[in-house]
């Protein structure tokens, strides 16, 4: 399953670069500066979380059966779709009700990072426990 998150991370980064370039070069004269900032926020979060997905894929190599990492990856991808996707749609369509979707993506991002922290904490506790009994 780690290869799925590697693929999703790579595709998210690929589309993030393309969407970012489109925004920087094609939208300057089409949408307001305020909406361009909204659009750029979507790109920024998409790129950071694309890297996060690649990180989840790499961490899963050492713990392929981790449910925490499994759900973290899916929540991170859902966050990209909901958070960044809603900001792109908001900026391009100027339908402000789309902004109501964005917080759900933000919650997915937060939950994803929390699961990674819980995974790390489990590993710290496990290694501390194992080192005491060697």
């Amino acid at each position: 399953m780690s290869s799925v998150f590697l693929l999703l991370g790579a595709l998210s980064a690929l589309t993030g670069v393309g969407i970012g370039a489109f925004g920087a070069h094609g939208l300057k004269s089409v949408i307001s500066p305020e909406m361009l900032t909204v659009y750029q926020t979507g790109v920024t979060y998409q790129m950071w979380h694309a890297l996060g997905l690649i990180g989840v894929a790499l961490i899963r190599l050492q713990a392929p059966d981790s449910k925490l990492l499994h759900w973290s990856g899916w929540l991170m991808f859902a966050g990209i779709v909901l958070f960044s996707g809603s900001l792109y749609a908001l900026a391009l369509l100027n339908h402000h009700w789309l902004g109501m979707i964005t917080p759900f993506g933000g919650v997915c991002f937060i939950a994803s990072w929390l699961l990674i922290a819980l995974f790390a904490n489990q590993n710290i506790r496990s290694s501390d426990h194992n080192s005491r009994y060697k």
Side-chain angles (χ1 to χ4, degrees):
M1 184 58 89
S2 64
S3 61
V4 170
F5 296 131
L6 181 59
L7 176 63
L8 290 174
L11 291 175
S12 294
L14 172 91
T15 57
V17 170
I19 290 168
F22 174 70
H25 302 291
L27 292 179
K28 268 187 188 171
S29 61
V30 178
I31 63 176
S32 71
E34 177 186 304
M35 286 295 113
L36 190 57
T37 299
V38 168
Y39 187 91
Q40 290 169 336
T41 299
V43 172
T44 300
Y45 276 78
Q46 179 171 340
M47 291 304 296
W48 279 112
H49 289 88
L51 292 173
L53 275 171
I54 292 168
V56 168
L58 294 174
I59 297 166
R60 285 202 75 203
L61 292 174
Q62 74 176 7
D65 297 327
S66 171
K67 294 290 184 201
L68 293 172
L69 292 175
H70 170 84
W71 285 109
S72 175
W74 286 115
L75 284 167
M76 197 169 291
F77 183 67
I80 290 170
V81 172
L82 294 172
F83 186 90
S84 295
S86 67
L87 291 181
Y88 300 145
L90 171 63
L92 294 172
L93 302 174
N94 205 23
H95 294 300
H96 290 278
W97 64 267
L98 289 165
M100 293 187 303
I101 298 169
T102 309
F104 292 104
V107 169
C108 288
F109 286 150
I110 292 166
S112 176
W113 290 109
L114 175 63
L115 293 178
I116 292 171
L118 292 172
F119 171 79
N121 186 55
Q122 276 183 350
N123 278 358
I124 290 168
R125 288 178 181 266
S126 176
S127 66
D128 285 348
H129 177 76
N130 290 338
S131 67
R132 284 186 210 148
Y133 298 103
K134 284 187 177 180

